[in-house]
Amino acid sequence: MSDNVKFEQRLCADGSHQIAIATLNNIGSLNALTFNMLEQLHELLIHWRDDPSIVCVLLEGEGEKAFCAGGDVRAMHDVMSTQTKAQAQEFCTNYFTLEYQCDYLIHTYPKPIIAWGEGIVMGGGMGLFMGASHKVMTPSSRLAMPEVTIGLYPDVGGTWFLNQLDEGIGLFLGLTGVMVNASDAVDIRMADYILPAESRERLIETLQIQYWVKGSDNGAEENHGTVNDVLSLLSEHSANEVEDQKPSNQLIPFGSKIKKACEGNDLSNISREVLAIDSSAHPEAEAKWMSRAQQSHRLGSPISSHLCFRQIKEYQHLSLEQCFRLELGLSVSCGLLGEFQEGVRARLIDKDGEPVWLYKSIESVDSGVIDDLFMSLWEEDSHPLAKLGR
């Protein structure tokens, strides 16, 4: 089976504790998350959570190219395009429910989880990465929430974590789906550390020789501190090497312009302001980055832009649990609308790069359609994620 989660447990020097390692293994699809992988990962994390000998978890992707490039949208497209509406709703409900349960488990995990975000971290991969207590990137890492290009929206907890960023930044990332490099990710607080790719084994070996505390809330807190100390030490020791390897900032130089463009409560105006950001006085690499962001927004789904806008502007006060419950209904509804199916077809199936969106512009989108997408498909007690956090 090519889509699985490999696991390993490394015994610590004290002979009683272990470091658990979960490796997303779907290398041919940049470790995209299949339902099978989500089932395995969810089961593993619960098992390790309840195993008193496990003191820390390292979550990584197989290979150097990607931590995880997203969810299994190809499988969703197959179901949406070949099966009945009822079957598509059932498939999407089951997939997204399990995915969000997995994301939530990581967000609320009592033990330290180190996400080793080497390579591409996108979409569903961001759901795993952003929930980790310790988020590590390598100099070549890039992260993004590119759902605007496929007619979805920044899900997997995006309603929560994009709203934790400085005002305007999360909205810009959602509206453009632009890639963020490791330097920018740390500076906008979407990642905690940058370590050389070669440091992975040294990280595990250093964790193995630490003093770990077993049991009790105090023990969990102390173990989180131990991981902080290890990562800080490795970061300090590799500072010169990382400085030579890490990319120059691309987002940060535009920070004030991005925040100003994303002010206000009128999406059409924000869209115009984003597209009008002037990069002519910036170095070539920065200008190209902004141009890619603007092009992605210009060609992206107008419905996706509306969904992202409401996520950021109207739901910033929701709890983490409420965010996932909101997103489940929204994601399933998107799967039934047709926009998501068309976006995946154009970008990943036929690869013609020419999706035919339901609306030609942000201004032409029927607000009633957006209202309907945000309507829950279930009563509160029958919601598939009703027990989340309870």
Side-chain angles (χ1 to χ4, degrees):
M1 187 179 296
S2 59
D3 61 315
N4 57 40
V5 179
K6 298 192 297 185
F7 68 94
E8 181 183 0
Q9 295 176 193
R10 300 272 192 100
L11 188 64
C12 293
D14 60 17
S16 59
H17 297 110
Q18 298 185 83
I19 308 299
I21 304 170
T23 306
L24 306 175
N25 182 33
N26 189 11
I27 196 166
S29 298
L30 297 177
N31 299 321
L33 293 167
T34 64
F35 191 85
N36 178 60
M37 292 168 68
L38 287 168
E39 280 189 316
Q40 291 182 15
L41 181 60
H42 192 254
E43 182 179 338
L44 274 172
L45 290 175
I46 290 176
H47 173 73
W48 286 336
R49 180 195 64 190
D50 299 336
D51 183 344
S53 74
I54 302 297
V55 289
C56 177
V57 175
L58 178 73
L59 178 60
E60 62 180 3
E62 183 69 27
E64 302 173 354
K65 292 184 178 180
F67 168 74
C68 173
D72 190 7
V73 295
R74 289 175 180 270
M76 293 182 208
H77 175 272
D78 290 344
V79 172
M80 291 185 290
S81 60
T82 63
Q83 299 191 25
T84 66
K85 185 175 181 179
Q87 289 171 320
Q89 180 169 342
E90 181 181 12
F91 180 88
C92 289
T93 299
N94 291 338
Y95 181 91
F96 286 121
T97 295
L98 180 58
E99 183 177 28
Y100 299 168
Q101 287 173 330
C102 205
D103 294 335
Y104 182 79
L105 178 60
I106 293 173
H107 272 279
T108 58
Y109 212 67
K111 299 175 181 180
I113 294 184
I114 303 170
W116 183 260
E118 184 173 7
I120 294 171
V121 185
M122 291 198 307
M126 285 285 286
L128 305 179
F129 185 80
M130 294 303 297
S133 58
H134 298 80
K135 295 176 279 291
V136 181
M137 304 190 83
T138 65
S140 64
S141 297
R142 293 170 294 160
L143 58 79
M145 291 298 289
E147 289 77 10
V148 69
T149 67
I150 57 169
L152 194 56
Y153 70 98
D155 68 323
V156 294
T159 309
W160 171 263
F161 63 74
L162 290 181
N163 271 308
Q164 307 305 307
L165 307 180
D166 288 348
E167 189 169 357
I169 300 299
L171 180 57
F172 180 84
L173 294 180
L175 291 177
T176 64
V178 69
M179 284 276 193
V180 175
N181 68 29
S183 299
D184 282 320
V186 169
D187 287 344
I188 64 174
R189 300 188 306 280
M190 293 188 86
D192 304 311
Y193 301 92
I194 304 175
L195 292 177
E198 300 76 23
S199 295
R200 173 194 172 275
E201 191 62 30
R202 184 180 179 189
L203 167 61
I204 296 171
E205 291 173 353
T206 306
L207 291 170
Q208 287 178 275
I209 60 173
Q210 300 305 304
Y211 171 77
W212 298 99
V213 179
K214 184 183 297 184
S216 81
D217 292 338
N218 290 335
E221 184 176 340
E222 286 189 38
N223 289 343
H224 276 271
T226 297
V227 174
N228 287 337
D229 292 343
V230 168
L231 288 170
S232 295
L233 180 64
L234 291 178
S235 182
E236 182 180 341
H237 285 175
S238 62
N240 291 336
E241 184 179 355
V242 167
E243 192 63 34
D244 291 338
Q245 295 180 12
K246 73 176 185 178
S248 299
N249 288 102
Q250 296 172 316
L251 184 153
I252 293 298
F254 290 102
S256 60
K257 294 180 181 179
I258 288 172
K259 292 175 184 179
K260 183 172 178 57
C262 293
E263 288 177 346
N265 293 299
D266 184 278
L267 176 58
S268 295
N269 184 62
I270 288 173
S271 177
R272 286 191 292 271
E273 291 294 321
V274 166
L275 294 176
I277 292 176
D278 183 12
S279 60
S280 60
H282 289 257
E284 182 180 4
E286 294 172 16
K288 285 184 176 180
W289 179 85
M290 177 54 71
S291 178
R292 286 194 295 270
Q294 292 168 325
Q295 180 77 344
S296 181
H297 175 59
R298 184 182 295 109
L299 299 178
S301 162
I303 287 178
S304 295
S305 288
H306 274 272
L307 297 178
C308 178
F309 175 76
R310 288 204 190 182
Q311 279 180 279
I312 302 301
K313 296 293 185 176
E314 298 183 19
Y315 294 99
Q316 67 269 46
H317 300 303
L318 294 186
S319 68
L320 179 62
E321 296 86 357
Q322 290 171 327
C323 286
F324 280 117
R325 283 194 278 268
L326 172 75
E327 289 179 7
L328 180 59
L330 190 52
S331 296
V332 174
S333 293
C334 284
L336 303 177
L337 182 65
E339 189 89 335
F340 179 29
Q341 177 184 333
E342 171 61 11
V344 176
R345 179 207 65 77
R347 303 297 180 190
L348 300 174
I349 307 300
D350 296 339
K351 299 182 180 179
D352 56 35
E354 297 182 0
V356 181
W357 302 127
L358 293 174
Y359 297 93
K360 292 184 178 181
S361 67
I362 285 174
E363 290 77 14
S364 65
V365 173
D366 182 351
S367 62
V369 171
I370 307 302
D371 292 339
D372 289 344
L373 289 172
F374 274 96
M375 291 287 292
S376 179
L377 298 172
W378 309 276
E379 297 295 331
E380 184 177 347
D381 291 341
S382 61
H383 194 291
L385 296 178
K387 296 182 179 180
L388 212 61
R390 296 176 183 173

